[in-house]
Amino acid sequence: MTIPASLQKGLKLPVIAAPMFLVSGPDLVVEACNAGVIGTFPSLNQRSTDGYRDWVQEIKGRLTPDAAAFGVNHIVHPTNPRLMTDMMVSVEEKVPLIITSLGAVRDVVDAVHGYGGVVFHDIANVRHARKAAQAGVDGLILVANGAGGHAGVVNPFALVNEVRSFFDGTIILSGCLSTGSDVAAALMMGADFAYMGTRFISTTESMAQGEYKQMIVDAGATDITYTPAVSGIPANFLTPSLVANGIDPKSLPEHKLDMADEAKAWKTVWSAGQGSASVHDVLPVADLVRRMREEMSTARDEFLGKYG
């Protein structure tokens, strides 16, 4: 188990605020990093490569000297026509952490390693984990059952244990992690980082609509529907947002619905994980991180008190 040295600076809690489509922007990233966790965003949240560069430079300019590192998510897939131009920006700007999705490619990994950056890759099953490991990534983001967005279906205990049996890099666990005690549990399982998306949607600085944030606060685990109907790939969505868009969660097809524009669909059909059951408020990122640090400390002390 290891955290790359370049990501240890300024890190006060081993948490990565996940890059969320249409949700993560400069304000969320900056506040996360300045609070001591790694903030990230998808490059495609900006409509152009020039806009993406502007965001990177803005973030770098707003980080405090003792801030944690930031990261960017790139979709490594033929359907992303901006991959090469956005990657050129990442290399030129020396983005500390690159998160790749939908494809682990050795050339991308080598380009990032060329300037001293770190590459973490999203995986939902062991087969993809092995491929990413062979591509030379520094870390694997294990998207376990119950995570928001394009989640896997494997139990986190099984996924962590099997991946750790052949991978000695950084392991980042995703799926239903919302509190400091959840972070402590992830570390006890063998992960190096907790990867949180849903919990950071309901923060003051996220770009999510107010109704979206409140729906997460009001939702429990049973209010999440896992379906390929929105994007063609199984993902977790807030059931009330499906209903609000005229989609019957009890009668969903096994394929993508005929939506005119998938990106527009994600604006109104809102994604969240089963960890929404542990989200009870909308608050500034700094306050959330401070609370999680206290929760993790309490969890550690209680464990040592019982079993130390």
Side-chain angles (χ1 to χ4, degrees):
M1 294 186 291
T2 179
I3 293 178
S6 61
L7 301 185
Q8 293 179 16
K9 175 183 175 294
L11 192 67
K12 297 178 180 177
L13 189 69
V15 167
I16 298 175
M20 294 171 285
F21 186 51
L22 304 178
V23 171
S24 305
D27 289 343
L28 178 53
V29 172
V30 168
E31 291 305 311
C33 295
N34 286 343
V37 302
I38 295 176
T40 67
F41 72 97
S43 63
L44 295 179
N45 272 4
Q46 258 287 356
R47 294 186 177 183
S48 68
T49 295
D50 287 341
Y52 165 52
R53 185 190 296 275
D54 290 342
W55 271 16
V56 171
Q57 293 179 344
E58 176 188 347
I59 289 167
K60 291 167 69 173
R62 292 172 58 189
L63 294 180
T64 60
D66 60 346
F70 75 98
V72 170
N73 172 227
H74 290 304
I75 303 300
V76 184
H77 192 272
T79 57
N80 177 15
R82 278 175 42 190
L83 175 61
M84 294 306 297
T85 54
D86 285 359
M87 270 299 303
M88 288 179 61
V89 171
S90 294
V91 171
E92 292 169 2
E93 296 292 338
K94 295 181 171 60
V95 174
L97 170 63
I98 297 297
I99 296 172
T100 54
S101 303
L102 301 181
V105 178
R106 173 69 71 170
D107 287 348
V108 171
V109 174
D110 289 345
V112 177
H113 286 171
Y115 65 81
V118 172
V119 180
F120 291 165
H121 183 70
D122 277 337
I123 65 96
N125 58 56
V126 172
R127 181 172 65 88
H128 291 156
R130 290 186 183 277
K131 287 185 175 181
Q134 291 171 359
V137 301
D138 303 286
L140 295 173
I141 301 168
L142 279 52
V143 186
N145 187 33
H150 294 129
V153 295
V154 183
N155 181 283
F157 287 97
L159 195 55
V160 169
N161 287 332
E162 190 166 3
V163 170
R164 184 56 79 190
S165 71
F166 63 84
F167 182 70
D168 61 2
T170 306
I171 283 186
I172 307 96
L173 182 62
S174 171
C176 306
L177 304 174
S178 300
T179 68
S181 58
D182 294 341
V183 178
L187 301 184
M188 290 289 287
M189 289 172 61
D192 300 295
F193 278 104
Y195 200 67
M196 294 187 183
T198 300
R199 173 59 272 197
F200 280 91
I201 297 174
S202 290
T203 58
T204 305
E205 294 86 357
S206 93
M207 298 192 300
Q209 300 173 42
E211 295 84 355
Y212 185 0
K213 298 177 185 182
Q214 188 59 46
M215 190 176 289
I216 289 175
V217 170
D218 295 337
T222 57
D223 296 309
I224 304 300
T225 296
Y226 187 66
T227 176
V230 176
S231 67
I233 301 173
N236 278 316
F237 295 93
L238 287 156
T239 304
S241 74
L242 291 170
V243 173
N245 281 271
I247 302 171
D248 182 1
K250 296 181 180 180
S251 181
L252 288 168
E254 294 299 320
H255 53 80
K256 185 178 181 295
L257 290 169
D258 184 17
M259 297 183 180
D261 187 322
E262 181 183 333
K264 291 181 179 178
W266 282 76
K267 290 181 180 180
T268 55
V269 181
W270 296 327
S271 177
Q274 294 174 10
S276 58
S278 299
V279 180
H280 306 299
D281 49 18
V282 177
L283 71 170
V285 168
D287 291 346
L288 172 61
V289 174
R290 187 179 303 112
R291 185 168 73 192
M292 288 195 295
R293 292 178 65 191
E294 293 171 354
E295 291 168 340
M296 181 173 171
S297 178
T298 298
R300 179 196 60 204
D301 292 344
E302 289 180 349
F303 178 84
L304 292 175
K306 293 179 180 178
Y307 307 106

